[in-house]
Amino acid sequence: MPQTPIVYDAPTPEPRASTVEAIQAEILERLIYSVGKDPIVARPHDWLAATIMAVRDRVMDRWMESSRETWRTSHKRVYYLSLEFLIGRLMRDAMSNVGLIEPVRDALKNLNVDLGDLINLEPDAALGNGGLGRLAACFLESMSSVKIPAYGYGIRYVHGLFRQEMSEGWQVELPEDWLAHGNPWEFERRESAYEIGFGGHVEPVTDPDGEVRQEWRPNDHLLAVAYDTPIVGWRGARVNTLRLWSAQPIDPILLDKFNSGDHIGALAESARAEAITRVLYPADSTAAGQELRLRQEFFFSSASLQDIVRRHLQQYGDLGSLPDKVAIQLNDTHPAISIAELMRILVDDNGLKWAEAWKLCKGTFGYTNHTLLPEALESWPVALLERLLPRHMQIIYQINADVLAEARQRAKFTDSQIANVSLIDEAGGRRVRMGQLAFVGSHSINGVSALHTELMKQTVFSDLHKLYPDRINNKTNGITPRRWLMQCNPDLTKLITDTIGPEFLDDIELLRGLDAHAEDPTFQGQFAQVKRANKEKLARLIKDRLNIVVSPDAMFDVQIKRIHEYKRQLLNIIQAVALYDEIRAHPERDWVPRVKIFAGKAAPGYWNAKLIIKLINDVAKVINNDPAVRGLLKVVFLPNYNVSLAEVIVPAADLSEQISTAGMEASGTGNMKFMANGAITIGTMDGANVEMHKEVGADNIVIFGLTTEEVNEKRAQGETPRSAIEASPRLKEALESISSGVFSPDDPDRYRDLIGGLYDHDWFMVARDFDAYATAQAEVDAIWTDKARWNAMAIRNTARVGFFSSDRTIRQYAQDIWGVPAAAE
Ligand code: 26W
């Protein structure tokens, strides 16, 4: 029987008033009664905590109303499972979405506190590496904004993505500590704790009715405790929950050990449990295959599945309706073990028949793939899975047997096709392929841009696509226009509002109305003035942090993202060196002044990425201090790139560098943020750039370089880049100067191997795309000198960004994958 634990008509307190006076009174009340500080001695962090609590209180009513409504209406719920949520700061986002920025600003002013200072004091929730984690954060906000009952499920890492510092131009990683001052946004739910098991063995047990069931008896147990954070949508449309799991020991201290004098041993279990959610893995493209990582993946998958099933049973009382009431989206393969865990829960714990359980499973799960890089595709040694999750390994074998039988019998697959679709990779040590598991256990598999989805069909999943041809679909990524336009660029938002009215705030497609003003000199002047103010702000930040003076009159040419060879920061910096050579060789020419701005973190174990950071810094030192350059070119590497830094850099960019080797960037989402803020893109036909080119029009973007097909041809032919280098004197000169130590006199051989690689194989086509890139950059210069043309292009970028709103993406997921209604614009 379903239980009905909810009392719908319980009296609730009056919603909090949002007048300046009421907010001011509550901030003081919170400061005294919750933070425990006298206003006379309160420190900035105390004011921040009190302010967050006052804002939070104005979200609470809507939070409870949202959950109540979902219970009442029995609407289907969406669960977004992600090992990463790269949220950034929450206070400005929440205030802006419920219209509290101005009253809070005034309330604080009366208390002699500056809201801007408090905003900057809030630590970033950096529970993610890059694109995948940031997408999850944009999706959470959009799901609330389009009124979908949804939960994000992830891990409450104590330490988010490492802090990056520079030591003589090298990246140094330091622990990040976002919880140091507490986290007023989260609510610990001790009552929502689940036991998570590892190891042990599987035992067949015979039920009274004679049925044999498998029972997993783990020998290692810990607790997953829930921490909930409210995620408020635009205009408070809905408030959804981000539920993050924290690992805790079942026995915090083993008293017998302690009493017998083993004080360290008494705490060992506690430390082992807590290690699971201690720190985010800082690699965003290589699956390192470490046991702790698998433990993280199972820990949060199992806790989430237990929670989902409990909630479902509580409301509906039976599991047959799971796919009608529950949609679970797997953010890449990191939570893919959920498929085996749900099967275990259904078959072993709830006695469902295998075939019935498998149908429910497929009906419930959807899987999003975010990368085709072979080294990023997760697989786990069979032996490790057998040891850590013996029952799940059995289940995976059973699923595999069913899939392979179907492939042979129905689809008449050959041996090599069978090997392709198998969940077990037999080559080089037996491993379980999580992509294959996620695919066969889901009714929908989606890529994140049109090109990427096509490539999925042609490469990793070609045979699975033949076996299940109606499963792969595309959902081009998006970004939330609230954070990435309205909040980070208030001046532009105001200008747009004054020009086309405020309706675009609720229907982003209406930005199109700006098209009509693209050629208007007055509007162009205003648009340029906003950009100029944002550039001045960034210039001040660069001066403060690096003591480098840059002119806001120069073109701000920006590449900010994780450092990776396929993203080709190397191509960008080599072009900077070539430009440097040319400026010195031809001082008489009319050079367009440029500031090349870089930021991004390298995975700690990724040597070439770290070396590229050092190269950028080495090149910067020489170019920035050479009087012959006369300030026409500056190179800046801003340390510790994160969401908050992006919110300052993006609105100040003139040129957006999206220059990955074609076929390698699944989508990119930075590209969309720049577009929204009126930067012009220089980019390859890769990821979502292809769709940007279509949306903005060929005249408003600068495209260059090899296409995916051309890259594949060159790789297949084994063609070496030497001829390309020989044919390009400026490339040759730049490469020689770098590899001979012009920028590294203290260690002349530092870049010999890095540059040598470009001569040998050049997998990422840096040399072969160089001339096309340099020519495209010259075209960018030409456009820049025609200010009216540049401004018109920039305006059209903002005008046509509507498609890239994550509201659009989420509506498509809702309609095509989840089967849930979403609010129209
Ligand atoms: C197991 C190690 C690991 C960790 C993270 C491998 C791969 C990942 C992610 C899938 C990498 C990632 O963030 N991919 C990015 O996802 C974005 C959102 O879809 C895309 O816009 C980027 O193009 C893609 O690189």
Side-chain angles (χ1 to χ4, degrees):
M1 272 297 285
Q3 304 162 23
T4 42
I6 302 295
V7 182
Y8 296 125
D9 301 322
T12 46
E14 279 298 294
R16 309 282 163 127
S18 290
T19 59
V20 174
E21 298 70 35
I23 292 171
Q24 186 179 332
E26 193 182 336
I27 291 175
L28 272 180
E29 195 177 306
R30 284 302 196 171
L31 187 70
I32 296 166
Y33 295 103
S34 301
V35 182
K37 276 286 175 86
D38 185 329
I40 307 289
V41 297
R43 315 268 308 154
H45 273 109
D46 303 322
W47 286 109
L48 174 64
T51 307
I52 288 176
M53 284 189 258
V55 173
R56 197 188 71 183
D57 282 353
R58 278 153 186 78
V59 170
M60 286 327 251
D61 308 297
R62 285 173 237 242
W63 197 8
M64 303 197 171
E65 176 49 32
S66 296
S67 341
R68 251 184 255 150
E69 195 196 54
T70 310
W71 274 93
R72 202 168 37 225
T73 57
S74 302
H75 281 157
K76 186 170 183 177
R77 294 179 170 92
V78 172
Y79 296 97
Y80 198 81
L81 268 57
S82 179
L83 207 48
E84 305 191 6
F85 288 93
L86 186 42
I87 293 171
R89 293 175 176 143
L90 271 174
M91 188 170 72
R92 183 175 61 182
D93 188 55
M95 286 190 303
S96 169
N97 274 4
V98 293
L100 280 179
I101 294 210
E102 291 317 316
V104 171
R105 190 191 305 282
D106 293 346
L108 285 169
K109 200 191 234 156
N110 294 340
L111 297 164
N112 250 327
V113 178
D114 182 70
L115 173 63
D117 291 348
L118 288 194
I119 287 175
N120 289 328
L121 204 60
E122 188 184 11
D124 271 37
L127 310 183
N129 273 287
L132 163 136
R134 183 54 233 174
L135 186 75
C138 283
F139 278 8
L140 286 181
E141 198 264 3
S142 276
M143 288 189 289
S144 293
S145 295
V146 307
K147 299 192 180 161
I148 293 174
Y151 298 74
Y153 275 117
I155 288 183
R156 180 181 178 272
Y157 301 105
V158 175
H159 304 290
L161 187 63
F162 66 84
R163 206 154 49 76
Q164 178 196 55
E165 280 189 8
M166 291 300 140
S167 167
E168 297 181 354
W170 294 99
Q171 166 174 300
V172 181
E173 302 96 28
L174 297 154
E176 185 282 338
D177 210 9
W178 69 299
L179 296 170
H181 294 269
N183 176 10
W185 286 111
E186 67 183 11
F187 293 86
E188 184 180 351
R189 309 287 192 204
R190 299 244 28 137
E191 74 284 7
S192 292
Y194 297 93
E195 253 189 64
I196 311 295
F198 288 103
H201 66 283
V202 180
E203 216 162 271
V205 290
T206 310
D207 284 343
D209 57 3
E211 290 271 337
V212 178
R213 272 186 315 110
Q214 304 297 321
E215 211 175 85
W216 176 30
R217 304 263 166 82
N219 61 2
D220 184 5
H221 295 267
L222 51 100
L223 279 184
V225 176
Y227 285 75
D228 288 350
T229 298
I231 304 291
V232 57
W234 176 235
R235 297 202 197 277
R238 211 192 134 81
V239 181
N240 282 322
T241 300
L242 170 61
R243 173 159 281 195
L244 299 178
W245 300 104
S246 176
Q248 285 170 32
I250 292 185
D251 297 316
I253 182 164
L254 302 177
L255 266 187
D256 46 348
K257 278 200 178 173
F258 187 86
N259 292 338
S260 70
D262 183 4
H263 302 140
I264 303 288
L267 296 170
E269 188 183 334
S270 167
R272 248 168 46 83
E274 283 165 9
I276 292 190
T277 52
R278 177 74 67 178
V279 53
L280 166 79
Y281 270 93
D284 74 327
S285 58
T286 33
Q290 280 150 359
E291 180 175 329
L292 183 64
R293 167 85 176 193
L294 179 59
R295 283 183 186 266
Q296 289 186 336
E297 294 185 351
F298 179 70
F299 167 82
F300 107 98
S301 296
S302 174
S304 308
L305 264 288
Q306 291 185 57
D307 201 34
I308 292 166
V309 169
R310 177 204 48 82
R311 186 176 297 114
H312 183 82
L313 282 175
Q314 190 176 358
Q315 187 164 10
Y316 301 105
D318 99 294
L319 289 165
S321 58
L322 205 62
D324 303 328
K325 296 297 177 189
V326 170
I328 305 178
Q329 194 67 27
L330 304 173
N331 200 21
D332 216 277
T333 57
H334 316 152
I337 194 68
S338 297
I339 289 173
E341 175 69 350
L342 181 60
M343 286 301 284
R344 192 193 62 75
I345 293 174
L346 295 178
V347 175
D348 299 358
D349 294 353
N350 290 275
L352 270 75
K353 293 270 176 284
W354 178 271
E356 163 73 355
W358 187 235
K359 216 171 101 205
L360 297 179
C361 192
K362 280 187 294 190
T364 303
F365 283 110
Y367 155 50
T368 305
N369 171 282
H370 295 267
T371 181
L372 299 173
L373 293 184
E375 67 271 26
L377 302 179
E378 285 190 298
S379 72
W380 296 105
V382 166
L384 175 61
L385 267 177
E386 248 156 13
R387 176 162 61 78
L388 232 49
L389 302 168
R391 179 57 184 143
H392 299 80
M393 192 60 237
Q394 288 179 347
I395 290 170
I396 288 168
Y397 275 133
Q398 179 66 55
I399 295 171
N400 199 35
D402 293 351
V403 170
L404 297 190
E406 188 183 349
R408 271 199 208 285
Q409 283 148 26
R410 176 172 64 77
K412 307 278 179 270
F413 268 21
T414 64
D415 285 351
S416 91
Q417 286 182 302
I418 291 283
N420 262 327
V421 301
S422 175
L423 308 203
I424 312 290
D425 183 3
E426 304 281 351
R430 306 182 64 235
R431 302 176 77 92
V432 178
R433 291 193 282 218
M434 303 309 269
Q436 271 74 357
L437 173 62
F439 194 116
V440 301
S442 303
H443 65 283
S444 160
I445 293 89
N446 77 282
V448 291
S449 73
L451 174 66
H452 167 66
T453 300
E454 274 320 299
L455 294 174
M456 271 170 64
K457 292 181 187 170
Q458 290 164 23
T459 62
V460 267
F461 295 132
S462 60
D463 286 311
L464 277 170
H465 178 53
K466 288 197 189 94
L467 191 57
Y468 305 114
D470 51 3
R471 288 199 196 172
I472 295 187
N473 64 93
N474 178 244
K475 295 288 167 283
T476 299
N477 283 167
I479 55 164
T480 166
R482 271 73 64 183
R483 184 177 291 261
W484 296 110
L485 176 57
M486 302 171 196
Q487 293 160 30
C488 74
N489 205 341
D491 292 351
L492 183 57
T493 305
K494 175 162 191 317
L495 173 62
I496 299 171
T497 307
D498 292 347
T499 308
I500 60 170
E503 292 79 12
F504 78 96
L505 299 172
D506 299 280
D507 179 359
I508 204 69
E509 289 287 346
L510 295 177
L511 280 175
R512 281 264 167 191
L514 286 177
D515 257 346
H517 303 267
E519 308 279 350
D520 170 8
T522 313
F523 183 68
Q524 284 192 357
Q526 294 166 327
F527 197 89
Q529 214 181 327
V530 169
K531 182 65 79 181
R532 163 94 200 186
N534 292 332
K535 288 169 75 175
E536 284 169 5
K537 190 172 158 205
L538 177 57
R540 279 196 297 276
L541 183 146
I542 292 171
K543 174 75 177 64
D544 288 349
R545 298 207 181 159
L546 297 170
N547 202 24
I548 297 174
V549 176
V550 300
S551 164
D553 293 325
M555 184 199 305
F556 279 16
D557 168 349
V558 181
Q559 187 172 21
I560 50 173
K561 50 182 82 238
R562 287 298 287 254
I563 312 295
H564 203 294
E565 286 162 285
Y566 85 76
K567 295 178 188 280
R568 299 201 293 193
Q569 283 92 355
L570 187 55
L571 175 60
N572 190 344
I573 197 68
I574 291 171
Q575 196 261 329
V577 169
L579 183 57
Y580 170 56
D581 291 339
E582 281 187 298
I583 291 174
R584 285 181 304 161
H586 299 285
E588 77 290 353
R589 282 195 198 151
D590 240 351
W591 296 102
V592 169
R594 280 210 198 211
V595 183
K596 281 205 175 261
I597 297 166
F598 294 84
K601 291 173 181 173
Y606 189 171
W607 169 252
N608 271 0
K610 292 180 136 180
L611 193 58
I612 289 166
I613 293 177
K614 173 66 174 162
L615 174 61
I616 295 169
N617 281 315
D618 276 350
V619 169
K621 200 156 77 188
V622 172
I623 293 182
N624 296 347
N625 295 307
D626 187 339
V629 178
R630 295 167 290 139
L632 291 168
L633 178 61
K634 292 251 161 113
V635 176
V636 172
F637 186 95
L638 276 166
N640 201 33
Y641 181 56
N642 60 11
V643 171
S644 293
L645 187 55
E647 287 167 5
V648 181
I649 298 176
V650 169
D654 295 306
L655 185 66
S656 160
E657 299 266 357
Q658 308 299 337
I659 60 176
S660 51
T661 314
M664 300 198 77
E665 187 71 272
S667 162
T669 45
N671 45 3
M672 304 166 188
K673 295 163 197 166
F674 286 105
M675 184 184 180
N677 286 276
I680 291 169
T681 298
I682 182 169
T684 48
M685 275 299 209
D686 198 15
N689 294 354
V690 176
E691 286 144 277
M692 281 178 53
H693 173 256
K694 185 169 134 230
E695 290 289 315
V696 80
D699 292 346
N700 300 302
I701 188 168
V702 179
I703 296 289
F704 73 95
L706 299 171
T707 61
T708 305
E709 293 77 30
E710 289 164 344
V711 168
N712 287 340
E713 270 167 37
K714 289 193 187 290
R715 284 180 182 165
Q717 289 160 0
E719 184 225 61
T720 70
R722 280 191 192 267
S723 54
I725 297 172
E726 291 307 323
S728 173
R730 42 185 184 173
L731 171 60
K732 199 169 170 207
E733 186 183 337
L735 293 183
E736 278 169 6
S737 68
I738 296 170
S739 72
S740 69
V742 167
F743 301 95
S744 54
D746 54 323
D747 179 6
D749 284 336
R750 184 175 292 141
Y751 302 112
R752 204 164 279 287
D753 291 349
L754 185 69
I755 300 299
L758 303 185
Y759 285 82
D760 288 344
H761 46 82
D762 190 22
W763 183 253
F764 302 99
M765 306 283 149
V766 169
R768 278 161 291 191
D769 263 345
F770 179 83
D771 273 2
Y773 180 56
T775 305
Q777 288 288 19
E779 191 192 329
V780 169
D781 282 345
I783 302 170
W784 180 260
T785 43
D786 181 351
K787 276 278 135 33
R789 183 170 168 214
W790 183 281
N791 290 333
M793 283 173 72
I795 293 164
R796 291 196 169 105
N797 270 271
T798 302
R800 300 174 186 184
V801 80
F803 176 76
F804 299 105
S805 164
S806 46
D807 294 353
R808 183 271 310 154
T809 314
I810 284 299
R811 285 192 180 95
Q812 293 180 334
Y813 274 83
Q815 161 116 43
D816 303 343
I817 303 178
W818 302 331
V820 299
E825 269 131 358

